[in-house]
Amino acid sequence: MGAAALRALPWALLLLGLQANPALGSEPPQGQPARLPEDQIGGFTPAPPPSAQEILPLNKQPANGSGEGHAKPRKAFPVLGIDYTHVRIPFEISLWILLACLMKLGFHVIPSVSNIVPESCLLIVVGLLVGGLIKGVGEKPPILKSDIFFLFLLPPIILDAGYFLPLRQFTENLGTILIFAVVGTLWNAFFLGGLMYAVCQLGGPGLNHIGLLANLLFGSIISAVDPVAVLAVFEEIHINELLHILVFGESLLNDAVTVVLYHLFEEFANFEQVTIIDIILGFLSFFVVSLGGVFVGVIYGVIAAFTSRFTSHIRVIEPLFVFLYSYMAYLSAELFHLSGIMALIASGVVMRPYVEANISHKSHTTIKYFLKMWSSVSETLIFIFLGVSTVAGHHYWNWTFVISTLLFCLIARVLGVLVLTWFINKFRIVKLTPKDQFIIAYGGLRGAIAFSLCYLLDYKHFGMRDMFLTAIITVIFFTVFVQGMTIRPLVDLLAVKKKQETKRSINEEIHTQFLDHLLTGIEDICGHYGHHHWKDKLNRFNKKYVKKCLIAGERSKEPQLIAFYHKMEMKQAIELVESGGIGKIPSAVSTVSIQNINPKTLPVERILPALSKDKEEEIRKILRNNLQKTRQRLRSYNRHTLVADPYEEAWNQMLLRRQKARQLEQKMNNYLTVPAHKLDSPTMSRARIGSDPLAYEPKADSENLPIITIDPASPQSPESVDLMNEEPKGCGGLPPSPEEDEEGLVMRVKEPSSPGTDDVFTPGTGDSPSNQRMLRCLSDPGPRPEPEEGEPFIPKGQ
């Protein structure tokens, strides 16, 4: 029964008692139990019984007097009153947020300060000053509690990072990020914990009571790179995309390792003896925490994308679904002690492409700017409260422990990066240079996550919590102030590549996608299934099944190239509208984006020509039908599943015949270029005249020359040449044609073959058997020498 029901129970009993016995204030009748004491009613204090005046109707109440009829002194009407306790909590929260925003505004207004000091350093200094001021006036400064940090301040920062995560750079470097996040964090935790245990054993009576598990717990807390500090510093120095995604991805994914190690050593501290089974279960908990967080995030991301299908009529609540589903993913993961950061990243990455395809452009702008604003305010509050908590918290300073912690943190980070990079470069195509290794090692910043985890420790099991907290704050201040302030000049000194300010054009993006398809085809042919192959498989599965379920309307069937073009032109149009450059729109931008964003009529002097709706739809239809000609229409293949092409044999035969025809033509040309003998036999003269009628004039008695027919059995043997028919024209019942009488031999150009036919397989009009025999005869004159003058061309007796 709830608290309200328990409080209403005495009232119900009292009313029942009044109905049974109208006399007020009388003793309960015999046989009825007396009123129970308040400690017996479920632990709740019941409301006091109403007086007689409260039960009487209002018209029977004495006016302006007590129950005895004595008049009360009349008070003046309160025109102005003060009730600070009523608005204390929201007033202080709003005041802190306003202070944080003003500090952030002042930081960016003064460029001389922002060029030297990072924003995080200035906010911590502001927190130190505010905390000192509050403590100086005798008040107790507020402390950054772990529940407030993990439940309200950290989720907006992680959601912003996960929703707008550069997915291409992240997936291409996922192996390197996982090695740094998992292996590097484990190395830092155990290396630092083991060395600090040795320092505690040698440090004297103030430290030798700290055991191995406590030092390992301290090492797991301080070893993780903080995503809030990395974002605050690396976005200001504009480092290149590779280094930024390596360090930032490590800071995001090492949360699972940190959570597992923290809970593992915290539980082991309560055990009297740690067994092998406990260690194995702790090892398995890493996979449960990390993969479980990802699974929870994927589930909520899919639900958010499916919900966005039906928001076309209620555009106002579209951004709210994104925020609520993401926050529910984080809380659900924290409910089962899973990685909430992994759940937020997974939900943001999964829902973004489908949600953006369903929601309106105004909702997309709302999500973008609200996430940026929310994460910026949370980050500012975290650094300010970090400074305030430093002043307000309890500290125990031990020079040996603090200096050893700072020194071993730097050594472990440098050694871990060097060893892991040496191993990673054996498998990377783009190697990490010594400059890159230095930036990765130098960019391992610690922040508020380590502070909040240490603040969660219980004094009962960890009596040295104050000393741990002091050492962690020292390491945070060193990494944020010293490393954060010096990393910008070091990047300029080492000439490290900066982030590309200009965005890639559509042409570059299309060629990048073309190269992805090309590399995928090469992997298929080679039989080596790399990340291009699996990415292509995932894209095809997404296009065939997932997009149809999660994207509403025609956008689910839109080709990838058209969808990308639509996204790019919309992005460019939004940037033009925000910058106020509508009058200078280039001709490459479509009018669709401008009409969707600003439906007002554009000026008359605009450069962009107006297009009708039908024309635009026609252009889009042409693009959809003709521009998406990729390998996705072909089935997957590799070297092990290649099948014989049924047309391959015929194609090879055709190529061989063409090659033989070219060789034959080349031989004939070589023969015809040889100078002829001065005195030729009539047969050879007839042949040369037939081959080149312009160079030789026919003789007067050319009509009596015989006709030669060549046996095509073997063109290489001279015995195949035989006199088959030497009858002159007009003999044998064949009258001479008038053309041959007047012109002699006539060279006719071969008619070209019709389209779609092969000149080798399909014979032409001039490819008669006699012409083919003549060509074969002319291509090989035979091994015998030419006959002398007066000698017949064909010997007698043959």
Side-chain angles (χ1 to χ4, degrees):
M1 184 180 295
L6 289 174
R7 291 191 183 96
L9 183 60
W11 287 88
L13 294 175
L14 182 60
L15 291 176
L16 290 175
L18 289 174
Q19 291 177 2
N21 188 6
L24 297 174
S26 61
E27 295 292 330
Q30 295 181 358
Q32 293 185 3
R35 192 169 65 92
L36 294 175
E38 59 185 36
D39 55 0
Q40 297 180 8
I41 308 179
F44 294 92
T45 303
S51 61
Q53 295 177 359
E54 294 175 348
I55 298 176
L56 291 176
L58 293 177
N59 54 5
K60 297 182 181 180
Q61 292 284 338
N64 298 328
S66 61
E68 289 79 9
H70 299 287
K72 288 184 177 180
R74 186 176 183 276
K75 295 182 179 180
F77 183 80
V79 178
L80 179 64
I82 298 177
D83 191 5
Y84 180 69
T85 57
H86 180 63
V87 297
R88 177 176 176 271
I89 295 178
F91 182 81
E92 291 181 356
I93 292 175
S94 303
L95 189 62
W96 278 107
I97 295 176
L98 181 61
L99 175 64
C101 295
L102 290 177
M103 293 298 104
K104 200 176 184 70
L105 179 63
F107 171 77
H108 289 283
V109 167
I110 308 173
S112 59
V113 178
S114 59
N115 293 332
I116 301 175
V117 183
E119 181 181 342
S120 56
C121 300
L122 183 65
L123 295 175
I124 291 178
V125 171
V126 172
L128 292 173
L129 295 177
V130 173
L133 181 63
I134 294 175
K135 197 170 185 180
V137 297
E139 297 290 336
K140 184 179 179 181
I143 298 177
L144 181 61
K145 295 183 179 181
S146 300
D147 293 339
I148 296 177
F149 172 77
F150 284 110
L151 296 180
F152 301 105
L153 296 181
L154 184 61
I157 301 174
I158 304 302
L159 177 59
D160 176 63
Y163 192 81
F164 298 103
L165 185 70
L167 195 57
R168 181 180 181 86
Q169 290 87 354
F170 183 79
T171 53
E172 289 179 351
N173 300 279
L174 184 59
T176 305
I177 293 172
L178 285 176
I179 290 177
F180 279 126
V182 179
V183 183
T185 305
L186 290 174
W187 157 259
N188 291 336
F190 285 97
F191 179 81
L192 182 62
L195 290 181
M196 291 307 299
Y197 176 70
V199 169
C200 291
Q201 296 301 315
L202 302 175
L207 298 175
N208 53 12
H209 66 282
I210 304 177
L212 178 61
L213 285 177
N215 282 287
L216 288 177
L217 177 64
F218 175 73
S220 64
I221 293 175
I222 198 62
S223 61
V225 180
D226 188 74
V228 182
V230 170
L231 275 176
V233 173
F234 272 60
E235 287 187 353
E236 293 184 12
I237 62 177
H238 300 287
I239 201 69
N240 63 78
E241 290 85 355
L242 176 61
L243 295 179
H244 184 272
I245 199 62
L246 288 182
V247 181
F248 179 61
E250 176 191 358
S251 66
L252 289 177
L253 299 187
N254 64 9
D255 173 73
V257 182
T258 305
V259 170
V260 169
L261 293 178
Y262 179 83
H263 290 293
L264 183 68
F265 294 132
E266 190 180 24
E267 291 293 332
F268 285 173
N270 301 328
F271 295 166
E272 297 180 356
Q273 185 180 1
V274 180
T275 61
I276 301 297
I277 298 178
D278 297 331
I279 298 176
I280 295 176
L281 292 177
F283 177 75
L284 293 178
S285 65
F286 165 72
F287 298 97
V288 174
V289 169
S290 58
L291 299 180
V294 173
F295 178 75
V296 171
V298 170
I299 293 298
Y300 275 97
V302 172
I303 296 175
F306 185 75
T307 307
S308 64
R309 280 180 54 110
F310 310 100
T311 58
S312 58
H313 301 288
I314 317 174
R315 296 293 188 184
V316 180
I317 62 174
E318 287 176 341
L320 196 60
F321 281 120
V322 175
F323 305 141
L324 289 180
Y325 277 117
S326 302
Y327 193 55
M328 288 297 295
Y330 180 82
L331 295 180
S332 301
E334 291 292 330
L335 177 65
F336 298 101
H337 284 291
L338 303 176
S339 176
I341 292 180
M342 300 288 288
L344 268 180
I345 296 171
S347 64
V349 169
V350 169
M351 74 168 63
R352 183 187 178 185
Y354 310 107
V355 168
E356 288 188 352
N358 291 327
I359 64 177
S360 63
H361 303 296
K362 293 182 179 179
S363 299
H364 171 68
T365 306
T366 304
I367 293 172
K368 176 181 177 181
Y369 284 101
F370 189 82
L371 277 181
K372 295 295 182 184
M373 179 269 296
W374 196 9
S375 63
S376 178
V377 172
S378 299
E379 177 186 325
T380 306
L381 289 175
I382 285 173
F383 285 113
I384 288 182
F385 274 104
L386 192 60
V388 175
S389 302
T390 304
V391 177
H394 301 282
H395 303 288
Y396 179 79
W397 185 270
N398 188 294
W399 282 97
T400 304
F401 190 84
V402 172
I403 299 302
S404 301
T405 301
L406 181 59
L407 183 63
F408 291 149
C409 277
L410 297 177
I411 294 175
R413 179 68 181 177
V414 172
L415 290 179
V417 170
L418 290 178
V419 174
L420 292 178
T421 307
W422 174 81
F423 175 76
I424 290 170
N425 280 339
K426 293 182 176 294
F427 304 96
R428 284 184 63 90
I429 299 177
V430 180
K431 310 296 182 183
L432 297 176
T433 62
K435 294 180 182 180
D436 299 336
Q437 299 176 32
F438 175 78
I439 297 300
I440 294 173
Y442 205 76
L445 307 178
R446 274 67 170 180
I449 289 182
F451 176 84
S452 300
L453 288 175
C454 186
Y455 197 81
L456 285 173
L457 295 178
D458 190 4
Y459 276 111
K460 184 185 297 185
H461 301 97
F462 301 96
M464 71 298 297
R465 194 193 77 163
D466 293 340
M467 185 175 65
F468 284 176
L469 197 61
T470 304
I472 288 175
I473 289 177
T474 305
V475 174
I476 292 173
F477 280 16
F478 180 84
T479 55
V480 173
F481 280 91
V482 179
Q483 295 179 210
M485 292 177 63
T486 56
I487 192 171
R488 185 198 296 269
L490 286 175
V491 166
D492 297 335
L493 180 63
L494 297 175
V496 180
K497 184 181 178 182
K498 294 294 189 67
K499 182 180 180 180
Q500 185 180 2
E501 297 298 336
T502 58
K503 299 179 181 180
R504 294 192 298 180
S505 62
I506 298 180
N507 190 16
E508 294 175 346
E509 293 286 350
I510 291 176
H511 280 80
T512 302
Q513 294 185 9
F514 165 74
L515 291 176
D516 289 342
H517 286 291
L518 181 62
L519 292 174
T520 306
I522 293 174
E523 288 181 357
D524 289 346
I525 293 174
C526 297
H528 172 73
Y529 293 153
H531 69 278
H532 290 92
H533 172 82
W534 296 114
K535 185 172 68 173
D536 181 73
K537 291 286 187 183
L538 184 62
N539 290 335
R540 292 165 65 181
F541 177 80
N542 177 39
K543 181 180 178 181
K544 189 174 181 181
Y545 301 105
V546 182
K547 290 179 66 175
K548 295 180 180 179
C549 299
L550 301 183
I551 298 179
E554 298 181 355
R555 296 292 300 275
S556 60
K557 302 178 182 179
E558 194 171 29
Q560 183 182 5
L561 184 61
I562 306 303
F564 177 76
Y565 176 75
H566 179 76
K567 178 181 176 182
M568 291 293 294
E569 70 167 2
M570 190 62 61
K571 189 175 182 180
Q572 189 175 5
I574 291 174
E575 292 176 354
L576 286 171
V577 172
E578 292 176 351
S579 61
I582 302 180
K584 300 179 180 179
I585 300 176
S587 58
V589 183
S590 173
T591 56
V592 181
S593 302
I594 306 301
Q595 292 171 1
N596 289 336
I597 297 171
N598 191 3
K600 297 180 181 179
T601 57
L602 299 178
V604 182
E605 60 271 14
R606 61 182 180 178
I607 303 176
L608 187 65
L611 295 176
S612 62
K613 295 291 184 180
D614 298 336
K615 191 66 176 178
E616 289 180 1
E617 187 62 30
E618 183 181 357
I619 293 173
R620 290 186 177 276
K621 184 177 179 181
I622 294 173
L623 290 174
R624 289 191 183 97
N625 295 333
N626 298 323
L627 290 185
Q628 184 65 10
K629 305 293 184 181
T630 62
R631 61 176 298 276
Q632 295 182 0
R633 296 189 177 183
L634 303 177
R635 61 189 182 90
S636 179
Y637 62 92
N638 55 39
R639 62 178 181 178
H640 304 291
T641 60
L642 288 176
V643 295
D645 192 354
Y647 300 99
E648 184 177 3
E649 188 67 25
W651 177 255
N652 292 336
Q653 292 180 3
M654 184 176 68
L655 292 178
L656 290 176
R657 291 181 182 180
R658 287 182 177 179
Q659 186 178 5
K660 288 181 180 180
R662 292 191 184 97
Q663 292 177 357
L664 182 65
E665 183 180 1
Q666 186 177 5
K667 288 181 181 180
M668 184 181 67
N669 292 335
N670 291 337
Y671 176 79
L672 293 178
T673 54
V674 178
H677 199 272
K678 293 182 179 180
L679 298 176
D680 288 335
S681 62
T683 305
M684 295 304 297
S685 299
R686 178 70 178 266
R688 284 189 167 85
I689 291 172
S691 62
D692 192 1
L694 299 179
Y696 299 91
E697 296 180 358
K699 296 180 181 180
D701 55 349
S702 60
E703 297 179 357
N704 299 326
L705 292 178
I707 300 174
I708 300 175
T709 304
I710 302 172
D711 184 13
S714 176
Q716 302 296 332
S717 59
E719 288 80 11
S720 62
V721 180
D722 194 1
L723 187 62
M724 302 296 295
N725 186 5
E726 291 188 357
E727 294 182 359
K729 297 179 182 180
C731 302
L734 296 175
S737 61
E739 294 181 357
E740 291 179 349
D741 291 340
E742 296 177 0
E743 301 178 357
L745 294 176
V746 180
M747 298 291 291
R748 293 183 175 88
V749 181
K750 182 179 178 181
E751 298 180 0
S753 58
S754 60
T757 59
D758 185 32
D759 56 347
V760 176
F761 292 138
T762 307
T765 56
D767 294 335
S768 61
S770 60
N771 292 339
Q772 292 180 3
R773 291 167 186 164
M774 177 63 71
L775 290 176
R776 292 186 179 182
C777 175
L778 296 178
S779 63
D780 190 359
R784 293 185 179 183
E786 296 181 0
E788 296 293 334
E789 184 178 358
E791 182 180 356
F793 178 72
I794 299 181
K796 296 179 180 180
Q798 293 185 1

